C-alpha cells in the first residue's frame, strides 16, 4: 500500500490537485513533493479561483514574493496553471521541520485581489541515512565482560518522517550484537574478546530509512582489542636442572630461565626473581631480573651444600606471576687438602725403645668426596720410623730401628698426605719427637793416658795437669765426676801426693816433690757419670818430677874445712904430670845439675899444680925442684853445671917430701910454706880417718837398731817434710813403680869422674832418717893416691 502511495507522488502531479484547499479568506493551498521538475504543473489556479482563463492575463495576475525570497513557482497566465519555477529542496528549505510550507501571493489587478498561495512541500526519500564518519574506531579492552555496551554515534538522514533513519543492522560477527533504543545505537559485547587471538575486528553497521525506495548508509566500526593482563608468564620448563662445579668464579652463569607472557606491553614484560629462598641461596646466587640468568655471586662449596633447589618467579608488569624450580647440583672439586691429625704421641721416647714400637697414632681427613678424598700417607725416608696403616683413616707411627740419643736427639717426622684428586692436593704435618736419654755411654777420657811434668820443690797445691773425660749422655747421665782410685805410691796412699778436682779434673799436687827422692809415679783416675747405675772408665796419670839444681856439690875428699890434718904427700921426685891427689865431690842432683867441674882458685905456687876440670885429679905441672916450697896450699872450687850453678870449695894441703918425718908441725901447714914433717901428719891423718870411720860405723849400726823399734814417721797429708840431709840422696822409682827390695847406697867416687855419679837408692821410709845416719849406709869406694880403700857396707 505504501508502494502504491509513493507511485502516485512520483508519477502524477495531478493527484495533488485533489489536495487543493480552499480557505475561506481566499487562500489557496497546494501540496506537492519536492524536487519536481521546473515547469511541472502544481495546480490550475484559474479554475481554483473561479476565474476565466483569459481573466488572468487581463487582470495581470502575478506571483509576488517577498523581496528577499526566492520564487519557486510561477503562473502561466495563458492557461491559468501554477508551475514549478525553481528547484524545491525540502531539506534545503525546511531542514528537519516536519511540515514545510512555502508562502507565495497571487496578485490580481483590476480589481486588485490578493490571494495567498501556500505551497505544502512534501518530503520525498531523496537522502540516504548518513554516518558522520566513514569509519568509527573504537578500542575495547579484552577484559571487557559480556554485555558491555559501546555507544556508536547514530546515523543521520535529512529526510523526515518515514524517510528518516528507521533502523540499523549490524553485519553478523562473532562478538557483538546491536542494541538500539530511540536514537542510541549501542554495540553489545556478546562474546568476550581475546586480544591474543584477534587484535582488530571490523564491523559493518548499516542504517536504514523508511522511505521508498529505502535508502541506507553504512559505517565500518573498527574495533581495536586492547590488551588486558590476562596471561600469566609461562616458564619454558617447569624444572631447570644445572650442574655447577664448586668454587665456580663469581659471574658464572649457571642456568637461564625464561618465561613468556602472551600479553602485550607492560603486561607482557616478564621480570624474574627468586621465590622464597633461604639467605644462603641469596648469598650465593643472583638472578638477572630481565634475562633470567642465574649467576654465581658467592662461594659455592660442595662441602657445605651439594645441591640447591631454587624457586624462580616470573612476573609480568602488572603482577601476574608464575613459578618454576631450578635445581642446581654442585659437583665436587678437589679443593680440600687432606688434614693430618696427630691423635696421640709418646714423647719423648727412650733411646732403648725396641724397633717396632708404636709411638704415635695419626688420623687423616679429607673433606672432599670420592676420589678426591682418597688419601695416601707417607713419611720421609731418612728417619727410623714408618707409618703402618690401621683401621680406616688411621695410621700407626712405628719405630723401625734402634735409636741413639747421642747421635740424633730429635726427630722432625714429616707426615705427608696426598689425595687422589686431579690435580692432587697434599699437606703435611711435622711431628717433633725427642729421644730420652738412657745412661748407655761411659765417660771416655780424651787421651789414653796422661803425663804430668813437675819440677821438684813445687808448691803444695800447685796444678799438675788436668784430665778430661767426655760423656755424651744427657744431664746427670753425662755429668762426669773425677776421683783418684785408691792406691799407694812408695807405700803411702796416693791421696797424700795428689788430689783431683771432682768437677774439673784438674790434678793438684798435695805436697812438694823431691826429685832426689823419686822421679815419677803413677796414679789411676776414674771418671764416673752420675747415672743410675753409673758408668765409669779409668785412666793412668804418670807424674814425672824433673830435677832442679837444689843441691850444691858435696866435697867428700878432702874433708871439709877444719879437718886440716888432711894433707897429701908429694914425692920430691915427682915428675911433671904426676897425679898427686884428687878432689872428690858429689852432687845429689842429676844431669847438668850434677855435672861437676873443678878449678884451682888459689894456690901457693900457681905454676906447680893443675886440676883436671872434670876429673878433679891434681897433677904436677912440672918436675918438683928443690926450690919449691915444701908446703903447698890449694883452694879448689867445685861447681855444678846447673842454672844457676852451685859450688863448694875446699882446701888441699900438699907436702913435698919423701919422708913424713920431715913434715913440720901440722898446725902450721896452712900457714907455713916451708917443708914440714909431712909424713907424720899423714900418719896422723890416716889414723884419724880410720878412727872416724869406726865411730861412723858404730853410730850407724846404733841408729839403725834404734830406728827399727821406733814407729814410722809419716807425712800428715799435704805437708812434705823438708829433707835436708848430707849428702843428699836421690830416689829412683823405676818405671814399674816397684821399689828395689835391697837398699843399695852406692857412692861412686871414681877417678874418671867425668860421669861421676853418686847413686843413692833408698826406700821411701828412709827419707825420715836423719841425713847423717843415712850417709852411713854407704858403699864407699874411693881411690886415694896410690892406695885404695874399699869398704863395702852392705847393711
Ligand atoms: C725440628 O724443627 C724445629 C722447629 O722447626 C727446629 O728448631 C729443629 O732444629 C728441628 N730439628 C731437626 C732435627 O731438624
Ligand atoms: C738417665 O738414664 C736413666 C736410665 O739409664 C734414665 O732413666 C734417666 O731418665 C736418664 N736421665 C736423664 C736426665 O735423661
Ligand atoms: C776402674 O777401677 C775401679 C777400681 O779398680 C774398678 O772398680 C772399675 O771397674 C774400673 N773401671 C773400668 C772401666 O775398668
Amino acid at each position: 500500500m505504501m508502494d502504491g502511495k509513493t507511485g502516485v507522488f512520483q508519477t502524477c502531479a495531478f493527484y495533488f490537485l485533489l489536495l487543493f484547499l480552499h480557505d475561506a479568506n481566499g487562500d489557496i493551498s497546494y501540496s506537492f513533493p519536492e524536487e519536481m521538475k521546473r515547469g511541472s504543473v502544481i495546480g490550475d489556479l484559474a479554475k481554483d479561483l473561479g476565474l476565466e482563463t483569459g481573466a488572468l492575463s487581463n487582470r495581470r495576475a502575478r506571483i509576488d514574493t517577498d523581496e528577499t525570497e526566492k520564487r519557486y513557482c510561477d503562473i502561466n497566465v495563458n492557461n491559468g496553471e501554477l508551475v514549478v519555477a525553481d528547484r524545491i529542496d525540502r531539506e534545503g528549505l525546511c531542514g528537519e521541520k516536519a511540515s514545510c510550507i512555502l508562502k507565495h501571493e497571487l496578485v490580481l489587478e483590476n480589481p486588485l485581489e490578493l490571494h495567498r498561495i501556500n505551497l505544502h512541500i512534501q518530503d520525498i526519500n531523496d537522502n540516504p541515512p548518513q554516518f558522520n564518519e566513514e569509519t568509527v574506531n573504537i578500542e575495547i579492552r579484552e577484559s571487557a565482560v559480556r554485555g558491555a555496551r559501546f555507544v556508536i554515534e547514530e546515523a543521520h538522514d535529512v529526510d523526515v518522517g518515514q524517510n528518516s533513519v528507521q533502523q540499523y543492522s549490524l553485519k553478523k560477527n562473532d562478538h557483538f550484537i546491536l542494541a538500539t533504543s530511540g536514537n542510541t545505537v549501542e554495540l553489545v559485547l556478546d562474546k568476550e574478546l581475546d586480544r591474543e587471538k584477534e587484535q582488530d575486528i571490523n564491523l559493518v553497521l548499516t542504517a536504514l530509512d523508511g522511505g521508498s525506495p529505502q535508502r541506507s548508509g553504512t559505517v565500518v566500526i573498527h574495533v581495536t582489542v586492547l590488551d588486558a593482563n590476562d596471561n600469566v608468564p609461562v616458564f619454558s620448563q617447569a624444572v631447570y636442572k644445572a650442574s655447577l662445579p664448586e668454587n665456580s668464579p663469581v659471574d658464572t652463569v649457571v642456568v637461564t630461565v625464561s618465561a613468556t607472557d602472551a600479553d602485550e606491553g607492560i603486561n607482557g614484560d616478564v621480570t624474574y626473581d627468586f621465590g622464597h629462598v633461604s639467605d644462603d641461596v641469596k648469598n650465593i646466587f643472583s638472578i638477572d631480573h630481565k634475562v633470567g640468568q642465574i649467576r654465581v655471586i658467592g662461594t659455592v662449596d660442595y662441602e657445605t651444600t651439594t645441591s640447591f633447589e631454587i624457586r624462580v618467579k616470573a612476573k609480568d608488569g602488572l603482577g601476574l606471576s608464575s613459578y618454576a624450580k631450578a635445581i642446581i647440583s654442585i659437583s665436587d672439586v678437589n679443593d680440600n687438602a687432606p688434614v693430618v691429625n696427630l691423635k696421640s704421641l709418646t714423647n719423648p721416647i727412650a733411646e732403648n725403645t725396641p724397633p717396632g714400637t708404636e709411638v704415635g697414632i695419626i688420623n687423616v681427613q679429607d673433606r672432599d668426596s670420592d676420589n678426591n678424598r682418597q688419601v695416601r700417607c707417607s713419611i720421609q725416608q731418612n728417619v727410623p720410623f714408618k707409618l703402618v696403616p690401621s683401621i680406616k683413616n688411621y695410621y700407626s707411627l712405628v719405630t723401625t730401628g734402634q735409636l741413639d740419643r747421642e747421635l740424633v736427639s730429635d726427630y722432625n717426622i714429616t707426615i705427608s698426605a696426598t689425595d687422589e684428586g686431579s690435580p692432587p692436593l697434599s699437606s703435611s704435618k711435622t711431628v717433633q719427637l725427642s729421644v730420652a736419654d738412657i745412661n748407655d755411654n761411659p765417660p771416655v777420657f780424651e787421651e789414653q793416658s796422661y803425663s804430668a811434668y813437675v819440677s821438684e820443690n813445687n808448691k803444695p797445691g800447685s796444678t799438675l795437669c788436668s784430665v778430661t773425660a767426655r760423656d755424651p749422655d744427657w744431664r746427670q747421665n753425662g755429668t762426669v765426676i773425677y776421683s783418684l782410685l785408691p792406691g799407694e805410691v812408695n807405700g803411702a796412699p796416693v791421696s797424700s801426693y795428689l788430689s783431683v778436682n771432682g768437677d774439673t779434673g784438674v790434678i793438684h799436687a798435695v805436697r812438694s816433690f823431691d826429685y832426689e827422692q823419686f822421679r815419677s809415679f803413677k796414679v789411676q783416675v776414674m771418671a764416673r757419670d752420675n747415672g743410675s747405675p753409673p758408668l765409669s772408665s779409668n785412666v793412668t796419670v804418670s807424674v814425672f818430677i824433673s830435677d832442679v839444681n837444689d843441691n850444691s856439690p858435696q866435697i867428700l875428699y878432702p874433708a871439709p874445712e877444719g879437718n886440716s890434718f888432711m894433707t897429701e904427700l908429694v914425692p920430691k921426685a915427682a915428675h911433671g904430670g904426676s897425679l898427686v891427689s884428687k878432689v872428690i865431690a858429689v852432687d845429689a842432683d842429676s844431669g847438668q845439675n850434677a855435672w861437676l867441674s873443678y878449678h884451682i882458685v888459689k894456690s901457693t905456687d900457681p905454676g906447680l899444680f893443675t886440676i883436671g876440670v872434670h876429673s878433679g885429679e891434681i897433677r904436677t905441672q912440672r918436675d918438683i925442684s928443690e926450690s919449691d916450697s915444701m908446703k903447698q896450699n890449694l883452694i879448689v872450687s867445685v861447681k855444678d853445671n846447673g842454672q844457676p850453678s852451685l859450688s863448694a870449695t875446699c882446701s888441699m894441703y900438699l907436702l913435698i917430701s919423701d919422708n913424713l918425718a920431715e913434715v913440720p908441725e901440722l898446725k902450721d901447714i896452712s900457714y907455713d910454706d916451708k917443708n914440714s914433717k909431712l909424713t907424720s901428719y899423714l900418719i896422723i891423718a890416716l889414723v884419724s880417718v880410720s878412727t872416724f870411720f869406726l865411730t861412723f860405723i858404730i853410730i850407724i849400726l846404733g841408729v839403725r837398731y834404734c830406728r827399727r823399734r821406733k814407729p814410722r814417721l809419716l807425712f800428715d797429708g799435704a805437708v812434705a817434710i823438708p829433707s835436708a840431709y848430707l849428702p843428699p840422696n836421690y830416689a829412683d822409682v823405676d818405671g814399674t813403680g816397684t821399689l828395689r827390695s835391697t837398699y843399695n847406697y852406692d857412692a861412686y867416687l871414681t877417678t874418671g869422674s867425668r860421669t861421676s855419679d853418686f847413686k843413692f837408692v833408698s826406700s821411701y821410709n828412709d827419707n825420715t832418717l836423719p841425713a847423717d845416719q843415712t850417709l852411713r849406709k854407704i858403699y864407699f869406694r874411693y881411690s886415694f893416691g896410690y892406695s885404695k880403700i874399699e869398704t863395702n857396707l852392705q847393711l
Side-chain angles (χ1 to χ4, degrees):
M1 192 181 123
M2 197 162 132
D3 283 345
K5 234 185 199 172
T6 27
V8 172
F9 273 104
Q10 283 180 329
T11 56
C12 185
F14 286 108
Y15 223 77
F16 291 100
L17 295 177
L18 297 178
L19 298 173
F20 166 75
L21 302 167
H22 200 247
D23 291 346
N25 53 357
D27 288 359
I28 299 168
S29 295
Y30 292 98
S31 183
F32 58 95
E34 57 175 332
E35 304 282 2
M36 296 228 297
K37 278 187 203 140
R38 249 176 241 166
S40 299
V41 177
I42 299 167
D44 190 347
L45 195 59
K47 187 188 158 195
D48 291 337
L49 290 174
L51 295 173
E52 297 279 329
T53 312
L56 290 173
S57 62
N58 293 339
R59 289 187 70 180
R60 298 182 55 173
R62 59 183 190 270
I63 299 293
D64 255 2
T65 53
D66 291 343
E67 287 287 307
T68 56
E69 279 185 5
K70 223 173 164 184
R71 200 155 46 105
Y72 292 99
C73 60
D74 215 345
I75 187 163
N76 186 343
V77 287
N78 294 322
N79 55 17
E81 286 173 343
L82 187 70
V83 293
V84 176
D86 204 347
R87 179 183 166 230
I88 299 169
D89 177 21
R90 192 203 67 86
E91 285 77 25
L93 295 172
C94 301
E96 290 187 9
K97 278 187 231 158
S99 71
C100 181
I101 299 170
L102 296 177
K103 294 189 171 155
H104 288 69
E105 285 173 351
L106 175 70
V107 180
L108 296 174
E109 292 177 9
N110 202 19
L112 181 64
E113 265 180 62
L114 188 68
H115 296 276
R116 210 183 286 166
I117 300 171
N118 294 328
L119 299 176
H120 293 258
I121 309 299
Q122 305 289 325
D123 183 41
I124 64 165
N125 193 20
D126 58 347
N127 289 289
Q130 248 182 347
F131 289 96
N132 254 346
E133 292 153 297
E134 279 180 11
T135 310
V136 175
N137 286 313
I138 59 174
E139 295 181 336
I140 302 175
R141 196 160 291 283
E142 58 175 324
S143 57
V145 293
R146 185 160 182 259
R149 291 172 174 252
F150 307 92
V151 177
I152 307 293
E153 193 180 1
E154 71 274 16
H156 289 276
D157 193 328
V158 286
D159 293 328
V160 294
Q162 279 298 313
N163 292 334
S164 68
V165 177
Q166 295 300 313
Q167 54 177 327
Y168 293 91
S169 76
L170 185 66
K171 199 176 157 201
K172 194 166 166 21
N173 68 86
D174 289 340
H175 294 281
F176 294 96
I177 52 169
L178 200 61
T180 52
S181 71
N183 272 337
T184 346
V185 180
E186 288 172 317
L187 286 177
V188 177
L189 186 62
D190 191 38
K191 184 181 165 223
E192 272 131 5
L193 299 170
D194 185 356
R195 189 200 65 82
E196 289 72 34
K197 274 191 197 146
E198 232 177 337
Q199 279 198 357
D200 297 291
I201 300 172
N202 284 321
L203 302 172
V204 179
L205 179 64
T206 306
L208 296 168
D209 59 21
S212 176
Q214 195 176 38
R215 289 176 180 265
S216 66
T218 59
V219 67
V220 174
I221 302 171
H222 181 91
V223 178
T224 305
V225 182
L226 294 181
D227 187 47
N229 191 24
D230 55 350
N231 285 287
V232 294
V234 177
F235 276 103
S236 59
Q237 287 168 250
V239 176
Y240 294 86
K241 285 191 173 158
S243 173
L244 179 71
E246 61 173 328
N247 303 336
S248 288
V250 166
D251 256 13
T252 304
V253 176
V254 183
V255 64
T256 305
V257 299
S258 87
T260 48
D261 189 309
D263 292 329
E264 186 182 52
I266 191 167
N267 295 332
D269 268 353
V270 179
T271 56
Y272 302 93
D273 206 344
F274 289 139
H276 181 76
V277 291
S278 66
D279 284 348
D280 286 350
V281 171
K282 283 183 197 157
N283 290 336
I284 297 174
F285 298 105
S286 72
I287 186 164
D288 185 295
H289 297 303
K290 286 230 163 64
V291 190
Q293 280 178 337
I294 297 179
R295 286 169 188 269
V296 176
I297 56 163
T299 310
V300 185
D301 185 10
Y302 177 84
E303 284 70 40
T304 312
T305 318
T306 56
S307 85
F308 292 91
E309 198 175 301
I310 303 174
R311 240 168 110 70
V312 185
K313 178 167 83 174
K315 192 176 77 167
D316 64 23
L318 287 176
L320 287 181
S321 38
S322 63
Y323 296 86
K325 219 191 267 179
I327 296 177
I328 301 171
S329 51
I330 309 298
S331 55
D332 186 42
V333 164
N334 192 22
D335 59 345
N336 288 287
V339 178
V340 179
N341 295 310
L342 186 60
K343 288 296 181 190
S344 79
L345 182 68
T346 312
N347 188 22
I349 47 171
E351 56 181 322
N352 61 357
T353 302
T357 307
E358 179 182 278
V359 297
I361 294 173
I362 279 122
N363 175 252
V364 184
Q365 306 270 350
D366 193 305
R367 293 180 61 221
D368 292 320
S369 1
D370 301 334
N371 271 352
N372 294 341
R373 71 178 305 155
Q374 297 300 315
V375 180
R376 277 170 292 122
C377 243
S378 64
I379 60 176
Q380 80 265 42
Q381 292 299 309
N382 52 350
V383 290
F385 298 94
K386 67 176 178 186
L387 279 182
V388 178
S390 177
I391 45 166
K392 225 171 146 212
N393 295 327
Y394 285 86
Y395 293 84
S396 300
L397 183 62
V398 168
T399 58
T400 58
Q402 199 63 53
L403 305 174
D404 185 359
R405 192 202 67 84
E406 285 72 38
L407 284 179
V408 186
S409 62
D410 287 292
Y411 290 97
N412 285 344
I413 303 168
T414 304
I415 297 157
S416 310
T418 308
D419 63 26
E420 286 176 6
S422 166
L425 291 177
S426 60
S427 68
S428 65
K429 187 182 188 77
T430 298
V431 177
Q432 278 195 42
L433 204 56
S434 306
V435 181
D437 190 43
I438 292 292
N439 192 21
D440 55 353
N441 289 286
V444 173
F445 281 99
E446 284 183 341
E447 286 168 39
Q448 298 261 312
S449 63
Y450 289 84
S451 299
Y453 297 89
V454 60
S455 297
E456 57 175 334
N457 305 332
N458 57 296
K459 281 197 194 118
S462 61
T463 300
L464 297 187
C465 68
S466 70
V467 296
T468 311
R470 308 254 175 236
D471 187 330
D473 286 325
W474 182 244
R475 296 262 162 87
Q476 65 256 40
N477 292 339
T479 305
V480 179
I481 299 157
Y482 303 94
S483 59
L484 277 180
L485 282 182
E488 288 197 341
V489 171
N490 285 355
V494 288
S495 57
S496 63
Y497 289 81
L498 298 177
S499 68
V500 62
N501 183 315
D503 297 330
T504 61
V506 174
I507 295 176
H508 299 278
V510 168
R511 60 151 90 169
S512 183
F513 299 125
D514 187 359
Y515 176 83
E516 286 72 34
Q517 210 177 343
F518 47 82
R519 295 181 178 180
S520 69
F521 58 91
K522 290 187 176 178
V523 294
Q524 293 270 305
V525 174
M526 179 169 79
R528 177 177 62 83
D529 63 28
N530 226 351
S532 168
L535 297 176
S536 69
S537 58
N538 299 335
V539 76
T540 302
V541 179
S542 305
V543 180
F544 296 99
I545 299 156
S546 57
D547 188 41
V548 165
N549 194 19
D550 58 346
N551 291 289
S552 319
Q554 292 293 315
I555 298 170
L556 301 179
Y557 181 85
E561 301 275 349
N563 296 331
S564 51
F565 51 86
M566 300 282 276
T567 301
E568 302 284 349
L569 277 183
V570 181
K572 283 181 180 159
H575 295 291
S578 302
L579 178 66
V580 294
S581 184
K582 181 175 166 74
V583 175
I584 301 169
V586 291
D587 194 307
D589 294 321
S590 63
Q592 294 282 332
N593 295 338
W595 190 11
L596 303 181
S597 57
Y598 302 84
H599 304 277
I600 296 170
V601 294
K602 195 179 171 192
S603 62
T604 313
D605 181 352
L608 189 53
F609 299 101
T610 61
I611 189 163
V613 174
H614 297 299
S615 62
E617 288 170 350
I618 299 170
R619 291 171 190 274
T620 54
Q621 225 168 345
R622 55 176 169 78
D623 295 347
I624 305 287
S625 68
E626 284 299 328
S627 61
D628 288 327
S629 163
M630 189 180 160
K631 287 190 251 176
Q632 294 288 334
N633 193 4
L634 300 178
I635 295 178
V636 174
S637 135
V638 183
K639 277 200 282 186
D640 64 23
N641 205 21
Q643 280 296 337
S645 70
L646 299 174
S647 63
T649 53
C650 65
S651 300
M652 173 77 75
Y653 303 104
L654 298 171
L655 197 62
I656 300 175
S657 167
D658 292 331
N659 187 348
L660 217 76
E662 291 175 22
V663 176
E665 286 173 48
L666 274 176
K667 59 183 177 185
D668 299 336
I669 197 159
S670 54
Y671 310 108
D672 195 357
D673 278 349
K674 291 188 179 157
N675 287 340
S676 57
K677 301 221 186 329
L678 195 66
T679 312
S680 62
Y681 285 117
L682 192 59
I683 290 165
I684 293 165
L686 276 172
V687 169
S688 311
V689 167
S690 302
T691 321
F692 178 74
F693 268 110
L694 254 162
T695 328
F696 219 67
I697 288 159
I698 291 163
I699 293 169
I700 287 174
L701 283 171
V703 168
R704 184 140 196 111
Y705 185 72
C706 292
R707 224 205 62 204
R708 279 196 180 141
R709 287 185 288 176
K710 271 197 233 164
R712 283 174 148 191
L713 294 176
L714 295 172
F715 294 111
D716 59 342
V719 185
I721 294 174
S723 48
Y725 45 83
L726 190 80
N729 49 12
Y730 94 62
D732 179 22
V733 179
D734 69 15
T736 61
T738 54
L739 291 171
R740 285 184 194 164
S741 53
T742 55
Y743 300 106
N744 287 324
Y745 298 90
D746 298 342
Y748 293 102
L749 309 169
T750 57
T751 50
S753 74
R754 172 142 202 172
T755 56
S756 170
D757 192 17
F758 183 76
K759 195 172 190 187
F760 184 90
V761 182
S762 91
S763 75
Y764 166 73
N765 290 325
D766 289 331
N767 292 336
T768 59
L769 290 174
D772 54 341
Q773 291 171 357
T774 312
L775 186 62
R776 281 153 186 83
K777 299 184 291 178
I778 288 177
Y779 166 55
F780 248 136
R781 198 182 66 196
Y782 60 91
S783 53
F784 178 73
Y786 298 109
S787 58
K788 197 174 182 187
I789 298 167
E790 189 165 292
T791 314
N792 192 345
L793 300 171
Q794 186 80 35
L795 302 174

